[in-house]
Amino acid sequence: MKIQVQGHRGDRGNFPENSIPAFLSALKKGVDVLEMDVVISQDNKVVVSHEPFMSSLYMLQPNGKEITKEEELSFNLYKMPYHLIKQFDSGSKGNPNFLQQKKIKTYKPLLSEVLDTVEDFLKEEKIDSIQYNIEIKSEAIEYHKSQPAPEEFVTLVTEVIEQKKLTNRVILQSFDPAILEILHKKYPAIQLSYLVEEKSLEENLNLLSFTPNIFSPFYKMILNEEYVNQVKKLNMKLIPWTVNQPEAIKEMIKFQVDGIITDYPERVIEQLSTNK
């Protein structure tokens, strides 16, 4: 059984997260899937970003000035037009959690730009088509504050995917059951992945009216083969996140999960090749 390698936010261990350079680096390393997050701008553009604000951890203002922890939430992407969002620098500062990440000036791209760039790259390099795993960053307390309501959010994201004719190569994932319910009802052709961080398998699935295609837990929730078997009995693929350390990667391979989401695609690819 082939275990899918998913580049988390592209190749976050080595390049600025959710950036074009990170996605291209992950492709060059040989990932099967590009994982990314999306939020919505004031002018209803689908922006590739993990946070719906400018994170003080790694973002710089257009003039190069730092963003403090206290002020980061005031840079609310849902209240900013995209032309302004694009002026912020998401790569020059680096990320203290990823010390080998290259410091390069880059920006938060639109989902449409990422899809176009990747598709062009695949054609040029004659690489087999890959999949996109797109997380809709949504939580109930943020509806109408840093994001639209679920129905509108889903519509904006799926419009881009349909426009690019990529419905059959996209996985949409979310922690928010409301998002998944709308997708299940309105877009049955799109693969859905349920992201979870805590609670039992049963407790999480009770929050949905259907069984998703993929169950995607925090990797530390997978403690034994029994858990793996429970997921597979329900005909769901099991794709844990975010698996970075060599021992954890080995353990996930041993459990024969269906895919591994990682900040360091090269580590998973290398481990899989030694396991052959």
Side-chain angles (χ1 to χ4, degrees):
M1 184 192 90
K2 179 174 165 40
I3 295 176
Q4 244 184 12
V5 181
Q6 298 205 12
H8 185 238
R9 307 188 202 174
D11 181 10
R12 178 166 69 154
N14 304 288
F15 282 86
E17 66 176 69
N18 279 320
S19 69
I20 301 277
F23 296 126
L24 294 179
S25 173
L27 290 176
K28 288 169 190 169
K29 286 177 179 176
V31 299
D32 305 295
V33 181
L34 289 176
E35 193 272 355
M36 64 195 73
D37 314 273
V38 293
V39 300
I40 303 298
S41 68
Q42 185 185 47
D43 45 353
N44 281 342
K45 299 282 201 308
V46 183
V47 183
V48 178
S49 174
H50 180 259
E51 303 84 17
F53 56 87
M54 296 294 179
S55 171
S56 59
L57 193 66
Y58 61 92
M59 295 299 299
L60 292 173
Q61 295 186 49
N63 61 4
K65 195 179 162 203
E66 297 254 345
I67 295 167
T68 66
K69 186 75 184 161
E70 292 70 37
E71 69 184 344
E72 64 181 7
L73 293 178
S74 67
F75 293 100
N76 180 349
L77 274 59
Y78 189 49
K79 308 279 190 221
M80 295 167 70
Y82 180 66
H83 73 85
L84 184 56
I85 292 169
K86 192 175 180 179
Q87 292 171 33
F88 284 70
D89 180 351
S90 63
S92 297
K93 181 177 175 177
N95 186 324
N97 297 328
F98 299 93
L99 296 178
Q100 70 188 60
Q101 193 183 87
K102 286 187 171 55
K103 292 181 182 178
I104 50 173
K105 188 169 186 181
T106 186
Y107 58 90
K108 294 181 184 290
L110 292 176
L111 176 60
S112 56
E113 184 190 0
V114 171
L115 299 177
D116 286 345
T117 305
V118 170
E119 291 302 304
D120 286 346
F121 181 83
L122 294 175
K123 278 192 200 108
E124 280 166 28
E125 300 297 318
K126 298 183 172 56
I127 296 172
D128 288 342
S129 61
I130 53 100
Q131 282 186 298
Y132 300 92
N133 187 7
I134 301 167
E135 179 182 348
I136 296 180
K137 298 296 300 180
S138 173
E139 51 181 330
I141 58 166
E142 290 299 317
Y143 297 170
H144 305 293
K145 292 178 189 171
S146 68
Q147 65 169 88
E151 191 104 19
E152 187 187 350
F153 205 158
V154 162
T155 300
L156 290 168
V157 175
T158 50
E159 272 174 0
V160 176
I161 292 160
E162 288 177 335
Q163 185 192 354
K164 301 299 177 189
K165 297 183 170 54
L166 288 168
T167 308
N168 62 337
R169 283 173 41 213
V170 160
I171 300 158
L172 288 178
Q173 59 176 355
S174 190
F175 284 96
D176 187 349
I179 292 279
L180 295 173
E181 290 288 353
I182 293 162
L183 284 164
H184 175 64
K185 193 168 25 172
K186 291 191 149 189
Y187 305 92
I190 295 179
Q191 280 197 82
L192 301 183
S193 177
Y194 186 14
L195 287 162
V196 299
E197 192 167 12
E198 54 188 10
K199 299 182 186 157
S200 70
L201 178 62
E202 187 181 16
E203 283 172 309
N204 280 305
L205 289 176
N206 282 343
L207 299 174
L208 283 181
S209 68
F210 68 99
T211 305
N213 310 95
I214 299 161
F215 192 72
S216 193
F218 177 43
Y219 80 95
K220 287 187 178 176
M221 291 172 69
I222 304 174
L223 299 173
N224 50 45
E225 279 183 27
E226 187 190 344
Y227 187 96
V228 176
N229 292 336
Q230 277 183 313
V231 172
K232 297 202 172 182
K233 266 186 201 155
L234 293 166
N235 286 325
M236 293 186 293
K237 287 183 177 172
L238 180 61
I239 301 180
W241 57 270
T242 300
V243 193
N244 290 337
Q245 298 313 317
E247 284 311 308
I249 292 168
K250 278 182 198 165
E251 191 174 32
M252 293 303 113
I253 292 171
K254 184 188 82 182
F255 283 139
Q256 285 292 288
V257 296
D258 296 284
I260 294 174
I261 299 173
T262 179
D263 290 313
Y264 299 93
E266 69 280 2
R267 293 182 187 175
V268 179
I269 289 165
E270 188 183 343
Q271 193 59 53
L272 286 169
S273 68
T274 60
N275 273 44
K276 279 180 184 171

